[in-house]
Amino acid sequence: MTPHELVGRVVTLPILRFGPPGAFLAVDPENVGDGAPVVLLLGSEIPVDAQTGDQLTVYIYNDSEGRPLATRKLAALELGQVTHLTATDSNRIGAFFDWGLPKELLVPFAEQTADVAVGSRYPVGLIRDRQGRLVG
């Protein structure tokens, strides 16, 4: 399994090693050697007493550059799920929704089935766009 296949999901992964940016979590606990696929959990989110081998439950999402990143904050929905979310902003590319992560969820105009009013709640499903990014 690759880190990109985990994007949009809650998973429990072991800490493989620590580095300056944070903890590197093993994507495949059976493959922990050099070159093994990993996903980064930023230092600010590492539990104080964490050690190599500890299992952490994380949500995998894409950072602003499209790289898979782990967070201990859990999003309101996983890939393929639908839930009601509140619209927080709207601009020329679509509407943004609060889904529990620092980076709000974009629902592009092409995916909207109704006009979106900021402050209102709507059912939103989580999918990947053609570039593999999470969108509503």
Side-chain angles (χ1 to χ4, degrees):
M1 185 160 288
T2 70
H4 290 284
E5 292 173 299
L6 298 179
V7 170
R9 303 187 190 289
V10 174
V11 293
T12 300
L13 303 174
I15 298 174
L16 182 60
R17 66 181 182 279
F18 294 93
F24 294 91
L25 309 179
V27 170
D28 178 3
E30 302 298 318
N31 180 10
V32 294
D34 289 340
V38 295
V39 63
L40 175 65
L41 176 67
L42 294 175
S44 61
E45 293 200 46
I46 301 171
V48 176
D49 58 347
Q51 298 177 21
T52 301
D54 286 356
Q55 301 276 329
L56 298 178
T57 299
V58 295
Y59 186 86
I60 310 297
Y61 70 104
N62 293 323
D63 69 7
S64 59
E65 296 181 22
R67 299 172 298 203
L69 188 65
T71 180
R72 291 181 55 219
K73 297 175 179 104
L74 300 182
L77 69 165
E78 291 186 55
L79 195 61
Q81 293 180 336
V82 176
T83 193
H84 283 84
L85 300 176
T86 301
T88 58
D89 194 14
S90 182
N91 66 22
R92 59 180 170 62
I93 61 170
F96 292 87
F97 288 79
D98 178 7
W99 65 321
L101 297 181
K103 184 179 173 186
E104 293 183 325
L105 180 64
L106 169 66
V107 178
F109 282 120
E111 298 295 338
Q112 295 176 21
T113 58
D115 290 337
V116 174
V118 173
S120 295
R121 290 176 57 83
Y122 299 90
V124 176
L126 187 62
I127 61 171
R128 289 188 190 159
D129 68 7
R130 291 183 195 124
Q131 289 80 32
R133 300 172 296 197
L134 295 175
V135 296

